[in-house]
Amino acid sequence: MLIFHLKSPQSVNISFVGAGNVAWHLAQALEAAGHKILEVYSRRPLAAEALCERLYEANVKRDLDFSHTQAEILLLAVADDALEEVIDRLILPDYLIVAHTSGAKSIALFEQYPYNYGVFYPLQTFSKGKAVAIEQVPFCIEAPDEIVRERLIVLARTLSRHVQLISSAQRRVLHVAAVFACNFANHLFTLSKDILDGESLSFDLLKPLIRETIEKALSIEPKLAQTGPAVRKDTQVITQHLDYLRHDPDKQRIYQILTESILNFDT
Amino acid sequence: MLIFHLKSPQSVNISFVGAGNVAWHLAQALEAAGHKILEVYSRRPLAAEALCERLYEANVKRDLDFSHTQAEILLLAVADDALEEVIDRLILPDYLIVAHTSGAKSIALFEQYPYNYGVFYPLQTFSKGKAVAIEQVPFCIEAPDEIVRERLIVLARTLSRHVQLISSAQRRVLHVAAVFACNFANHLFTLSKDILDGESLSFDLLKPLIRETIEKALSIEPKLAQTGPAVRKDTQVITQHLDYLRHDPDKQRIYQILTESILNFDT
């Protein structure tokens, strides 16, 4: 019996510009979902080679001229500050859909193109050494053209259960919110560890409490999960803490302002 | 064959003042570890009854006169602001060790006692409906008397693998650090959700990213895990974000100050 290896109707031919953390995870996840990665271009050819080695039949692409590509969708998974230059230098055929994967950059970067462009943004942080549960990653899709939009949605749904249309304006707001919830929260951990380091106490002591606090905030609602001296209006403890921080004006100011913000938010 | 039910040499008779979240979890964990809870006193007798119903042979205690108690250790698991008054009103026999479970209160509250007192502080947040992996909770022990200290350490080790001597001064520092890493981080989630609410975006979108960010911060080191526009010194994005927040001076000020702190900390 002959077995014909036919391309399944859902399977999409995809090429990548970029071979960093996002491309690394996305390309492999797309392949695992039944799609075909054809080409990988990177300004660092070694990175493109390393990624191609993890893929079944992808080839390293040496330039940004995609005029003869067999791909149907080209994903631009490059650093935010390289995206504009890449888009300027791309040579694309009409039939190719191009989408960037950036959370920070507007779809307006593509305005030189007629219609076949979009955004395909996985809202997650990726590191090469660490597996990601891709089916739980929210995918934020944007495309002015209805057919392009539908194709990007269908593609994202082969990876994740959480696919949503998000405009560039909404993506900007998501980014501001993520700076608060992720970047700034992380910095508070840094300051917390710094306080403990100063007294030779291990940050490990606080980790179970941090994990439990965050799980509570995410499972109920952060406002309802708020604890501590500020929300209790415990001015005695607040004064003691500010006094303890008197030799560290940066931490003292942050303590003061976040305490005020909790007090104001509560009312 | 007669089976004698003897008290194991490790088993300790314990009574509680307080029937809130800490007492609720601690009493049941101590019983599960082979100890005997004899009495529970609470200023809310119904709470004491509810806890006693979860325990094998504990009785509700109606007053703070423990002069004839069979307990060896009395744990004071009451609200911080009630602790001083409880200690004033307690009547204790000489043989009874008394320890409070507060992270915020000094051991100096016991200075009226001769020697048999200490602190037995589980560094975790407890809610009645939610199980806690007690063996992973750091227990912070303090006692001026060596024998008392040893007894509290041995007791804590029957519950947890993480038992440490922590002075009142160190506990105060832990508390300040926990305010940053837990209370303030939680408030940043509240602000983040507030930003998303304003644009009808669901906070659920950010939850996978928050979980991953925090896991990274706790598994490597928060300073090394720092990402975002501030640590990248991306002034263009920072300016855009501050402009977006111009109608919300509280969030704008927090954005500004935490961004400055990240920039300063990095150098």
Side-chain angles (χ1 to χ4, degrees), chain A residues 18-21 40-50 60-62 77 128:
Chain A
N21 290 338
V40 177
Y41 169 89
S42 168
R43 57 181 164 180
R44 298 169 296 126
L46 285 177
E49 274 170 36
V60 175
K61 181 104 176 63
R62 302 284 169 187
K128 256 176 198 150

Side-chain angles (χ1 to χ4, degrees), chain A residues 123-125 174-190 218, chain B residues 185 188-189 192 203 205-214 217 222 225-229 262:
Chain A
L123 206 179
Q124 184 51 287
T125 175
L174 270 173
H175 194 208
V176 177
V179 168
F180 277 83
C182 299
N183 304 154
F184 289 166
N186 186 80
H187 184 59
L188 291 177
F189 298 162
T190 301
L218 297 186
Chain B
L188 291 178
F189 298 162
S192 177
F203 187 52
L205 274 169
L206 278 189
K207 286 179 181 175
L209 181 64
I210 293 173
R211 287 202 170 89
E212 188 75 13
T213 304
I214 275 129
Q226 188 66 50
T227 58
I262 292 171

Side-chain angles (χ1 to χ4, degrees), chain A residues 127 186-187 216 226 257 261, chain B residues 127 186-187 216 222 226 257 261:
Chain A
S127 334
N186 186 80
H187 184 59
K216 207 172 279 184
Q226 188 65 51
I257 280 164
S261 177
Chain B
S127 331
N186 186 79
H187 184 59
K216 208 172 275 184
Q226 188 66 50
I257 280 163
S261 177

Side-chain angles (χ1 to χ4, degrees), chain A residues 200-247:
Chain A
S200 303
L201 287 164
S202 166
F203 188 52
D204 287 345
L205 274 168
L206 278 190
K207 287 179 180 174
L209 181 64
I210 293 173
R211 287 203 170 90
E212 188 75 12
T213 303
I214 275 129
E215 253 336 291
K216 207 172 279 184
L218 297 186
S219 65
I220 49 176
E221 185 181 320
K223 188 173 162 9
L224 302 176
Q226 188 65 51
T227 58
V231 79
R232 281 202 312 272
K233 299 183 174 48
D234 188 337
T235 49
Q236 202 189 331
V237 168
I238 293 168
T239 308
Q240 275 173 20
H241 286 181
L242 287 171
D243 182 58
Y244 174 77
L245 296 168
R246 68 192 177 281
H247 301 302

Side-chain angles (χ1 to χ4, degrees), chain A:
Chain A
M1 192 178 111
L2 278 170
I3 296 170
F4 292 93
H5 287 276
L6 292 172
K7 197 170 152 250
S8 95
Q10 285 245 338
S11 173
V12 181
N13 290 339
I14 299 162
S15 288
F16 270 88
V17 176
N21 290 338
V22 174
W24 184 265
H25 283 274
L26 218 45
Q28 294 182 71
L30 285 163
E31 213 178 59
H35 307 293
K36 233 163 125 173
I37 313 301
L38 302 185
E39 300 146 317
V40 177
Y41 169 89
S42 168
R43 57 181 164 180
R44 298 169 296 126
L46 285 177
E49 274 170 36
L51 176 53
C52 285
E53 274 170 28
R54 306 278 299 217
L55 300 167
Y56 287 111
E57 34 189 326
N59 293 308
V60 175
K61 181 104 176 63
R62 302 284 169 187
D63 56 46
L64 288 168
D65 179 355
F66 286 87
S67 36
H68 301 292
T69 187
Q70 301 295 309
E72 299 154 80
I73 295 179
L74 178 66
L75 293 177
L76 311 180
V78 301
D80 284 349
D81 55 10
L83 190 55
E84 207 155 347
E85 197 204 319
V86 163
I87 291 175
D88 274 348
R89 289 170 51 207
L90 278 177
I91 303 173
L92 304 178
D94 282 351
Y95 56 81
L96 185 65
I97 291 173
V98 59
H100 76 63
T101 63
S102 163
K105 292 293 178 181
S106 169
I107 197 166
L109 290 183
F110 290 117
E111 57 197 356
Q112 61 186 94
Y113 291 115
Y115 61 88
N116 50 344
Y117 57 84
V119 177
F120 189 83
Y121 165 50
L123 206 179
Q124 184 51 287
T125 175
F126 297 97
S127 334
K128 256 176 198 150
K130 197 159 180 301
V132 167
I134 197 88
E135 73 283 359
Q136 281 165 33
V137 173
F139 276 75
C140 304
I141 305 297
E142 181 178 13
D145 181 78
E146 204 184 319
I147 294 170
V148 173
R149 192 160 63 230
E150 194 52 38
R151 291 214 61 186
L152 293 177
I153 289 173
V154 167
L155 183 67
R157 284 207 181 123
T158 64
L159 298 176
S160 167
R161 289 179 282 126
H162 304 283
V163 179
Q164 209 165 321
L165 284 174
I166 298 280
S167 70
S168 287
Q170 288 176 312
R171 241 179 328 112
R172 213 161 32 234
V173 176
L174 270 173
H175 194 208
V176 177
V179 168
F180 277 83
C182 299
N183 304 154
F184 289 166
N186 186 80
H187 184 59
L188 291 177
F189 298 162
T190 301
L191 298 180
S192 177
K193 182 175 183 301
D194 199 51
I195 291 168
L196 294 177
D197 284 351
E199 310 276 342
S200 303
L201 287 164
S202 166
F203 188 52
D204 287 345
L205 274 168
L206 278 190
K207 287 179 180 174
L209 181 64
I210 293 173
R211 287 203 170 90
E212 188 75 12
T213 303
I214 275 129
E215 253 336 291
K216 207 172 279 184
L218 297 186
S219 65
I220 49 176
E221 185 181 320
K223 188 173 162 9
L224 302 176
Q226 188 65 51
T227 58
V231 79
R232 281 202 312 272
K233 299 183 174 48
D234 188 337
T235 49
Q236 202 189 331
V237 168
I238 293 168
T239 308
Q240 275 173 20
H241 286 181
L242 287 171
D243 182 58
Y244 174 77
L245 296 168
R246 68 192 177 281
H247 301 302
D248 194 333
D250 183 55
K251 292 197 189 75
Q252 196 186 44
R253 191 167 61 146
I254 290 169
Y255 191 104
Q256 180 98 48
I257 280 164
L258 285 170
T259 295
E260 283 169 20
S261 177
I262 293 171
L263 287 167
N264 294 336
F265 207 92
D266 194 44
T267 50

